[in-house]
Amino acid sequence: MNPVAAGSMNSAVLRPAHAALAAFLLGATTVLGFAPFGLAPLPIFTAAGLLWLWQGATAPRRAAALGFAFGLGLFLAGVSWVYVSLHQFGAMPAPLAAIATLLFCAFLALFPALVGYLQAQSDRPIASRQLLLIPALWTLTEWLRDWVFTGFPWLALGYSQAASPLRGYAALTGVFGLSWLAWLCAGLLLALARAKGRSAALAGLALVFGAGYGLERVEWTEPLGAPVKVSLAQGNIPQELKWDEARYAATVQLYRRMSEGSPARLTILPETAIPRFLDLLDPELLRSLAQSARSRGGDLIIGLPVRDATGRYYNSVLSLGASATQRYDKIHLVPFGEFIPSGFGWVLSVLQIPLSDFSRGSAAQAPLALAGQKIAVNICYEDAFGEEIIRFLPEATLLVNVSNVAWFGDSLAPHQHLQIAQLRALETGRAMLRATNTGMTAIIDHHGNITASLPPFTQGTLNGTAQGRSGATPYVRWGNAPVIALALLVCGLLALRRRKPAAPV
């Protein structure tokens, strides 16, 4: 019997319910490939498992159902920390928070479902679909998820490869290119089960991983000046106490002590470290912090909300010290957490989230000139959007992220967020400094390696050095455009042939 046909029959004989359950479990298992577990090869194997299931799903609707099941398993296991934010800290009733989380994950699962549906419409041979069409389609749907409804790129498959040899491609292709390569490797892995072409599949895997290993050693950017001493504060203030007015004085005293005791030229406090509008702060506090930083020839970055004369307010950072005072206002806001989309005002009656109607900062903001560096600041999950980070490059020499992921408790979210930051460092060839409220505070070098970090849910200051860099990686120059254009080209060329007749559902 033809091995390809045998493989198709093997997956086809699974009952739809059993196949859907298998796809769901494959999706849930994929989460182990991401931080904090870091089993990078695993997503390639689970993707191969979904490809095998799709072999037997000739009906587009059934293929879509398998893609949906895979996506539902992936997102329920990987981003169910949304429930923690809604219920534990947003005070949404548990049943409503559970339903909202399920619906959110089901929406995200529609993107893998779309891949399943479209690939099943093709009359191309199995090998062509698995090695060309499906990787291209998956890349396009991840890119769509990056910006549809303001975007939620969490668990893009490429992030799981932050510590694998595929990471070498990040400076060329960005995270979506890594996702494409992971699916290509899954197709090659499945091809090893076929008698014909086994040697070619092995050679293909060796070539992809070997080239990635070589690219890791390419220096796309150059050191600029001497390393800068940095100090990153982690106050570890529980979310339920952060905005408590009775706690305000203790919070200010904590961060004042941390900043004034810093030995560094660049000291960074987390997102909304000072939980009060800038215009309501004691001017003496700001003068004292600025003088302390100037006394050591350094600069301080503080996260705090800022209100303008029109009553609009921003999630911002403010610099004080030897350099001129500068400000960055967050541009990419979190739906329902920082702004309420039109038509959803009723949500405010359910959620108890302070300052949930921020305004967007200007997209024309420049890097902050501090500590002899040009610093591209991003706040919270802004670093999840690669093309938004590169707007500041190649002018910026360092990346800084300030976050407060206490909203998600002791979940997978802080670990996943740190892994996302590693990809931004790889894509840009820049060090990334992360100052967070409860974790994960870390120094990441321009190769995406974590050189120093603080344990989560501890109070402390992370002291170290960061090397500014100049130059531009290919990703900084071109962004996602080449990968998306290639994916569209592949899909277009494969669609030129007549579509296969509709299979029975």
Side-chain angles (χ1 to χ4, degrees):
M1 180 180 291
N2 186 304
V4 174
S8 298
M9 287 179 60
N10 287 340
S11 57
V13 296
L14 288 178
R15 293 180 179 178
H18 293 166
L21 177 60
F24 179 88
L25 294 175
L26 285 169
T29 303
T30 302
V31 175
L32 298 176
F34 295 85
F37 311 104
L39 303 177
L42 189 58
I44 295 175
F45 283 89
T46 57
L50 180 59
L51 291 177
W52 181 78
L53 291 174
W54 271 338
Q55 283 184 8
T58 56
R61 289 186 186 177
R62 187 179 176 194
L66 291 175
F68 180 83
F70 182 91
L72 192 62
L74 172 67
F75 294 114
L76 279 177
V79 299
S80 55
W81 37 260
V82 170
Y83 172 85
V84 177
S85 177
L86 295 176
H87 173 58
Q88 185 174 342
F89 300 115
M92 182 180 282
L96 188 57
I99 292 171
T101 301
L102 177 61
L103 290 176
F104 177 62
C105 292
F107 167 73
L108 297 176
L110 293 175
F111 292 92
L114 181 62
V115 176
Y117 184 85
L118 293 177
Q119 66 84 28
Q121 293 278 355
S122 173
D123 63 351
R124 293 289 184 173
I126 287 175
S128 177
R129 277 186 281 156
Q130 291 178 350
L131 298 178
L132 294 174
L133 181 59
I134 292 174
L137 285 172
W138 193 277
T139 301
L140 286 173
T141 57
E142 282 193 346
W143 173 71
L144 285 173
R145 187 158 58 84
D146 186 61
W147 58 267
V148 169
F149 299 126
T150 79
F152 187 80
W154 232 263
L155 296 186
L157 204 67
Y159 287 120
S160 68
Q161 303 306 303
S164 87
L166 295 184
R167 62 184 276 168
Y169 293 93
L172 288 171
T173 68
V175 69
F176 299 131
L178 301 195
S179 295
W180 184 322
L181 290 166
W183 276 95
L184 172 62
C185 290
L188 292 170
L189 188 66
L190 199 61
L192 293 177
R194 306 178 189 126
K196 286 185 66 175
R198 189 170 294 165
S199 298
L202 276 173
L205 285 169
L207 178 62
V208 170
F209 282 101
Y213 184 81
L215 287 169
E216 270 194 85
R217 281 139 187 83
V218 176
E219 292 288 350
W220 299 101
T221 57
E222 300 175 349
L224 181 66
V228 178
K229 288 186 177 180
V230 299
S231 184
L232 316 178
Q234 181 172 291
N236 193 37
I237 299 172
Q239 186 60 36
E240 58 269 24
L241 299 178
K242 184 173 177 61
W243 297 94
D244 184 348
E245 187 63 25
R247 168 81 190 203
Y248 172 75
T251 297
V252 169
Q253 187 59 32
L254 169 66
Y255 282 119
R256 186 172 187 169
R257 187 171 64 249
M258 286 180 158
S259 59
E260 291 180 348
S262 168
R265 189 176 179 190
L266 180 64
T267 303
I268 307 171
L269 307 188
E271 177 187 13
T272 57
I274 306 299
R276 182 172 288 183
F277 284 116
L278 173 62
D279 60 291
L280 297 179
L281 295 184
D282 180 357
E284 179 56 35
L285 169 64
L286 297 177
R287 279 195 294 268
S288 174
L289 291 172
Q291 178 56 37
S292 174
R294 278 196 298 269
S295 68
R296 58 179 179 272
D299 291 296
L300 171 67
I301 293 176
I302 308 172
L304 78 175
V306 173
R307 182 168 52 186
D308 66 16
T310 67
R312 292 179 298 183
Y313 48 89
Y314 303 88
N315 189 353
S316 306
V317 300
L318 182 75
S319 74
L320 300 169
S323 304
T325 297
Q326 298 156 74
R327 195 177 105 195
Y328 168 78
D329 300 327
K330 187 176 182 183
I331 301 170
H332 198 131
L333 304 178
V334 181
F336 302 104
E338 292 176 316
F339 80 100
I340 302 300
S342 178
F344 287 88
W346 58 270
V347 173
L348 285 175
S349 64
V350 180
L351 290 175
Q352 297 178 18
I353 297 178
L355 301 182
S356 55
D357 199 16
F358 282 105
S359 296
R360 291 183 58 194
S362 168
Q365 297 176 85
L368 306 186
L370 303 172
Q373 301 290 323
K374 294 290 186 68
I375 298 175
V377 176
N378 51 89
I379 299 175
C380 193
Y381 94 144
E382 282 189 307
D383 66 351
F385 301 90
E387 283 201 321
E388 295 183 12
I389 297 299
I390 64 174
R391 286 186 305 202
F392 299 98
L393 299 170
E395 182 182 359
T397 59
L398 280 177
L399 306 180
V400 166
N401 176 266
V402 296
S403 291
N404 174 32
V405 288
W407 281 105
F408 307 111
D410 189 8
S411 68
L412 299 178
H415 303 275
Q416 294 169 350
H417 197 185
L418 177 61
Q419 190 173 52
I420 287 170
Q422 290 179 264
L423 253 295
R424 298 293 86 84
L426 282 164
E427 289 170 346
T428 61
R430 298 293 193 280
M432 168 75 87
L433 309 177
R434 301 190 74 242
T436 71
N437 177 23
T438 56
M440 311 281 289
T441 296
I443 298 172
I444 304 170
D445 71 14
H446 68 290
H447 287 301
N449 300 311
I450 300 168
T451 59
S453 63
L454 290 177
F457 302 102
T458 61
Q459 189 178 105
T461 302
L462 180 64
N463 295 316
T465 60
Q467 174 64 63
R469 299 188 74 84
S470 63
T473 64
Y475 182 76
V476 164
R477 295 186 184 282
W478 303 106
N480 295 322
V483 169
I484 300 308
L486 182 60
L488 289 170
L489 178 63
V490 168
C491 292
L493 290 175
L494 293 179
L496 287 178
R497 286 183 57 182
R498 179 180 56 86
R499 290 196 321 174
K500 65 188 294 186
V505 177

